[in-house]
Amino acid sequence: MTPPTSSLRSLALSDRYRSDQEDVVANFYVPAFSVATTYSRAVGYFTSTSLALFARGIEAFAERGGTMKLVASPHLNEDDIIDIERGYDVREVIERATLRELEIEQRETVLDGLGLLGRLIAEGRLDIKLAFVEQEGRIGIYHEKIGVFRDAVGDLIGFTGSSNETYGGLMANFESVEVYRGWVTGDGARALRLEADFQALWSNQTPHLSVERFPDVARDRLIELGSDRRRAALPGRDNALTPSPVVTTEPARLTIPEWLTKDVRGYQREAIESWLTHRGRGILKMATGTGKTKTAMIAATQLANVLRQREEPLIVLVLAPLQHLVDQWLTEVESFGVRPVAVYESSQKWLPIVEDQINEARMGQRPIVAIVATNSSFAGDRFQSVLSRISQPLMIIADEAHNLGSSTYRSALPPNATYRLALSATPERWFDDEGTDALIDYFGPIVFELGLGAAIEMGALCRYLYMPRLIELNDYETNLYVDLTSQIARRLSAGDSLRDADPDSPMGFLLRQRASVLGHAEGKLAQLRSDVSARADSWFQLVYCAEGRRPMEPGDPPGANQLRDAMNLIGNQLNLSAHSYVSETPRAERKVLLRRFGTGDDLRVLVAMRCLDEGVDIPDARVGYLLASSSNPRQFIQRRGRLLRRADGKEKAEILDYLAVPQSGTPINFDVERALLKRELERANEFGKLSENYETTLEVLRPLKERYQLMDM
């Protein structure tokens, strides 16, 4: 503040205590600033009279030419804090929190005080910023109380501390305020330090604090209040000694959203009924895009309703393989009326919340606890310790449940889970019968199955065209391919098997190298150029690239990266708006990219490497280019599923599959090559038989089938 008409020295020497309106500034300068530092919480935590006195104090200073800079703590609730920790845009969260406080129905005296603040902001007499603690990924409240005054002649007063004008503060707390006068020996250095601290705070240079500009929409709302409300008289008495009424709210419960109640599909009801008749255990084998997530949440809601009648709580634990899937589940669970706890990254973020909520459920204070965890955090020691102590009814929902069949994860599955629901389009683990059996032993049998053909036929998924592209290897690639095939043949002669090859075995390594040669075939890029050029005016296009780099002979320079080449081709050479989407892409940026992609007027092509396989919800995708070669049925089923989700204006999808093959006449072990190629053609047949143009697919593949005597496929 800068009151130019009176010196701070004379103000500080005044021993008067007058509460009349004209001289309120002379006696409230310390308490006023103290309240100001927590202004954004004043709406909910300070009495109406305190806010009015504070606003009137600033106004009196302003009338004498003074100005004020105010740093306050936003009133962040648990939802806001969790959103910031998840990586949501900080400004959007703070804007939402501030508007929420301003829109709460208030008493007239509070509105009068807010209106006063609005007028001061409009006149340029008051400027506000908001601060919160941000350290090691956790969010805290900025609760510091410091302030400085300077007058026109340069005198300085600094203070620290507060006098809490709430019922609890006045009746139960013991508080103090320290004031340092800049012209007094011993005080001056302290006052200057407080001034420097405030300047660092204002310029967002204080370690572990994040200082944001006051949201424009909230500022406009205050100014609007200032223009709408006429100046009111100062209240005659403070009501701080009147305790605030206790507000009781009904505990959150799982509830099917109103918009969904009329849209539950018949097959979803059938799946839930089947799971319930199997005593709450089983696997739902449902095609990607058919609504497994919503089906699971409806099942959990039905179960919670039954337990509520018995006055028992329900702890729902959702497991997902990746963080972005956890984020999607969090949104889904919230739509059913319960705020879930996200369990990933540092346990310092989630462990106290999880333990508190489980304790509340144990004491009958919380009917539902919802937790969504990544598989890796779930299998960690800290979360396993929490799980082992749960004695209340526990329901496990495993998304992409096939991932839990690995030896690490299946050993972590809790035996105390009464209810178990596994979700997967492909619950059978590829080349891992033991893992598949372990999943069935834990979750129960497949209690409901909805295949891709049935899903398309009933309209749950859209129809599609399938266009295989046969790409011949060049000479360099052919030499690598022949050498790898010869090594595979020797392993087969030694007793190894293609069917049961361990991924970490020598045979597994050779098969991966061979697949890499096929996946990175140079000719795919030339064909991609032709195909993308023909669809240059289309939106919602996905490109799936092979992982890593193109295999090279020992001693040769590292091979090219297909994703980088595809980005250069589409973005630089064809001048189409494109962006990569890979594992290194930050979560916050992924959300932005998917939002841009879904608008249909900004980002035309997403170029991905594996990250768009499992669970990512991009229903608008209409064209997919599969450069990566994979005989893993789960991988190509997931990719096809990304493209077949229904969306407004989407009638059909197009899938272009790039199949690399050795040159005709290549000297190669025929039997081995036939066995290997058969796995590639199984994928093409799987794609083609449910497409709208199966006859075209058969014609394209016929020469290859004839060459390798596979016409029976």
Side-chain angles (χ1 to χ4, degrees):
M1 289 185 180
T2 309
T5 57
S6 63
S7 73
L8 286 172
R9 296 193 189 203
S10 63
L11 184 63
L13 293 172
S14 171
D15 59 1
R16 296 171 300 166
Y17 189 92
R18 290 178 294 183
S19 60
D20 56 287
Q21 183 174 323
E22 293 298 320
D23 286 328
V24 69
V25 65
N27 300 289
F28 274 77
Y29 69 97
V30 170
F33 200 99
S34 175
V35 175
T37 57
T38 55
Y39 162 70
S40 65
R41 299 175 67 83
V43 175
Y45 291 94
F46 284 86
T47 67
S48 59
T49 310
S50 300
L51 179 59
L53 289 171
F54 160 55
R56 193 60 47 75
I58 302 175
E59 183 185 45
F61 250 81
E63 288 174 350
R64 302 180 185 185
T67 60
M68 184 180 197
K69 289 181 177 178
L70 168 65
V71 178
S73 175
H75 185 191
L76 301 175
N77 61 24
E78 182 182 340
D79 292 354
D80 301 325
I81 291 171
I82 292 173
D83 282 347
I84 292 175
E85 290 176 347
R86 282 190 209 156
Y88 284 68
D89 185 89
V90 171
R91 294 195 178 204
E92 289 183 6
V93 176
I94 289 180
E95 178 180 297
R96 178 184 70 198
T98 309
L99 284 177
R100 180 178 61 239
E101 291 299 305
L102 292 177
E103 296 301 329
I104 293 175
E105 185 176 348
Q106 303 291 352
R107 286 170 285 182
E108 290 299 305
T109 45
V110 172
L111 294 173
D112 289 339
L114 293 175
L116 264 175
L117 294 177
R119 285 196 291 274
L120 294 169
I121 291 172
E123 294 168 3
R125 298 293 186 180
L126 173 64
D127 194 5
I128 304 174
K129 290 187 178 181
L130 301 177
F132 58 89
V133 179
E134 189 171 23
Q135 187 174 8
E136 296 181 354
R138 300 197 69 182
I139 303 302
I141 297 171
Y142 170 66
H143 208 258
E144 183 182 40
K145 303 295 188 298
I146 64 171
V148 291
F149 296 80
R150 267 199 185 276
D151 63 16
V153 298
D155 278 330
L156 171 68
I157 285 180
F159 72 86
T160 180
S162 70
S163 56
N164 186 345
E165 295 187 32
T166 63
Y167 178 78
L170 291 172
M171 299 301 291
N173 294 1
F174 186 92
E175 306 197 24
S176 64
V177 177
E178 295 184 8
V179 180
Y180 305 114
R181 295 163 292 176
W183 57 88
V184 175
T185 303
D187 278 11
R190 293 184 177 95
L192 287 170
R193 175 180 55 79
L194 289 173
E195 184 179 45
D197 287 348
F198 185 85
Q199 289 172 348
L201 180 64
W202 187 260
S203 57
N204 196 19
Q205 295 179 358
T206 305
H208 310 308
L209 283 180
S210 180
V211 181
E212 299 287 341
R213 186 166 52 87
F214 196 71
D216 289 339
V217 290
R219 181 179 181 275
D220 293 343
R221 174 62 179 145
L222 284 176
I223 293 174
E224 180 184 351
L225 277 172
S227 62
D228 290 347
R229 300 192 69 80
R230 302 173 63 181
R231 182 184 176 109
L234 188 68
R237 61 184 298 274
D238 199 340
N239 60 359
L241 295 180
T242 304
S244 300
V246 177
V247 178
T248 58
T249 57
E250 182 74 14
R253 302 183 186 279
L254 285 176
T255 306
I256 300 175
E258 186 176 348
W259 58 267
L260 181 59
T261 53
K262 300 178 181 178
D263 195 37
V264 178
R265 296 176 178 268
Y267 66 82
Q268 292 175 312
R269 297 181 190 276
E270 184 181 344
I272 295 166
E273 289 173 1
S274 179
W275 179 74
L276 290 172
T277 57
H278 283 79
R279 298 188 176 183
R281 296 194 178 188
I283 300 171
L284 303 186
K285 183 178 180 180
M286 298 169 63
T288 300
T290 54
K292 295 189 293 293
T293 301
K294 288 182 175 58
T295 304
M297 286 308 303
I298 296 170
T301 303
Q302 298 288 72
L303 177 61
N305 290 338
V306 172
L307 292 176
R308 184 171 61 189
Q309 295 173 4
R310 305 177 191 166
E311 297 185 350
E312 290 184 274
L314 175 64
I315 298 173
V316 178
L317 170 60
V318 180
L319 304 178
L322 302 169
Q323 286 187 11
H324 67 267
L325 296 184
V326 168
D327 289 338
Q328 289 183 187
W329 269 98
L330 293 173
T331 302
E332 195 72 52
V333 176
E334 283 180 48
S335 71
F336 279 73
V338 173
R339 182 79 185 213
V341 183
V343 173
Y344 54 52
E345 296 177 341
S346 171
S347 61
Q348 293 179 350
K349 294 181 180 180
W350 51 261
L351 186 58
I353 303 174
V354 169
E355 290 185 330
D356 286 349
Q357 292 196 7
I358 291 176
N359 285 335
E360 290 172 2
R362 184 179 296 116
M363 293 183 291
Q365 298 171 346
R366 182 181 288 268
I368 185 78
V369 176
I371 305 167
V372 187
T374 58
N375 291 346
S376 58
S377 293
F378 149 75
D381 291 341
R382 297 207 170 185
F383 193 76
Q384 286 292 305
S385 176
V386 173
L387 273 180
S388 65
R389 300 195 302 271
I390 293 177
S391 57
Q392 293 70 43
L394 171 63
M395 176 182 182
I396 301 288
I397 300 176
D399 193 16
E400 308 296 351
H402 46 268
N403 292 285
L404 295 175
S406 70
S407 57
T408 300
Y409 291 142
R410 68 185 184 231
S411 63
L413 291 168
N416 56 332
T418 309
Y419 308 101
R420 307 170 185 180
L421 177 59
L423 312 173
S424 180
T426 52
E428 300 84 5
R429 288 176 57 82
W430 194 48
F431 290 168
D432 183 11
D433 293 340
E434 182 181 353
T436 301
D437 292 342
L439 285 175
I440 294 174
D441 287 344
Y442 182 80
F443 287 100
I446 295 173
V447 297
F448 180 79
E449 184 170 356
L450 179 64
L452 190 74
I456 292 174
E457 191 64 32
M458 67 175 56
L461 298 176
C462 75
R463 300 183 180 276
Y464 68 97
L465 300 174
Y466 176 66
M467 288 155 280
R469 303 289 198 239
L470 297 184
I471 310 297
E472 282 199 346
L473 301 176
N474 61 28
D475 292 341
Y476 186 90
E477 294 160 348
T478 297
N479 289 334
L480 279 175
Y481 187 84
V482 169
D483 180 59
L484 288 167
T485 303
S486 299
Q487 294 183 59
I488 291 171
R490 288 195 291 273
R491 299 298 312 179
L492 290 172
S493 299
D496 285 0
S497 168
L498 291 176
R499 175 68 186 171
D500 302 319
D502 187 313
D504 297 324
S505 67
M507 175 65 85
F509 172 78
L510 292 172
L511 291 173
R512 287 199 306 275
Q513 287 292 100
R514 175 188 175 278
S516 187
V517 171
L518 297 175
H520 286 89
E522 193 173 27
K524 291 185 177 184
L525 289 173
Q527 183 62 53
L528 178 67
R529 171 191 285 274
S530 174
D531 291 332
V532 174
S533 296
R535 295 162 180 79
D537 295 330
S538 298
W539 294 88
F540 311 116
Q541 303 187 59
L542 300 180
V543 179
Y544 286 96
C545 294
E547 298 175 54
R549 291 178 173 272
R550 183 177 301 156
M552 305 295 289
E553 294 280 5
D556 287 351
N561 178 277
Q562 190 178 81
L563 183 137
R564 194 173 297 120
D565 288 344
M567 279 295 300
N568 179 59
L569 167 66
I570 297 168
N572 296 330
Q573 298 178 26
L574 298 181
N575 295 315
L576 299 178
S577 56
H579 203 289
S580 60
Y581 190 100
V582 295
S583 58
E584 291 79 9
T585 306
R587 291 200 334 271
E589 185 180 347
R590 292 186 188 191
K591 295 175 184 176
V592 173
L593 289 175
L594 294 179
R595 187 164 59 245
R596 290 176 56 195
F597 182 77
T599 62
D601 59 6
D602 178 21
L603 187 58
R604 198 177 291 270
V605 185
L606 275 182
V607 183
M609 186 188 294
R610 286 201 67 180
C611 286
L612 289 175
D613 282 358
E614 286 190 334
V616 181
D617 191 11
I618 40 176
D620 293 298
R622 287 159 168 76
V623 183
Y625 307 91
L626 308 186
L627 296 179
S629 295
S630 173
S631 55
N632 184 336
R634 180 175 305 114
Q635 195 171 73
F636 65 72
I637 286 173
Q638 292 284 356
R639 292 173 180 176
R640 179 175 57 183
R642 301 281 77 75
L643 294 156
L644 301 190
R645 293 176 184 265
R646 300 198 65 84
D648 292 340
K650 180 178 177 181
E651 296 180 0
K652 290 182 182 179
E654 290 183 88
I655 300 175
L656 294 90
D657 193 3
Y658 298 76
L659 303 170
V661 296
Q663 300 171 5
S664 179
T666 299
I668 202 166
N669 186 306
F670 179 84
D671 291 335
V672 172
E673 180 58 20
R674 183 177 184 273
L676 293 170
L677 186 64
K678 185 175 182 179
R679 299 200 306 174
E680 305 287 336
L681 291 179
E682 284 176 350
R683 178 182 90 219
N685 272 346
E686 174 69 22
F687 272 78
K689 67 184 180 182
L690 296 177
S691 69
E692 297 287 279
N693 60 329
Y694 188 33
E695 291 184 1
T696 303
T697 301
L698 293 175
E699 287 302 313
V700 172
L701 298 179
R702 181 179 296 277
L704 196 61
K705 289 184 176 182
E706 289 177 344
R707 187 197 311 177
Y708 289 97
Q709 301 175 17
L710 293 170
M711 290 300 296
D712 57 321
M713 290 187 65

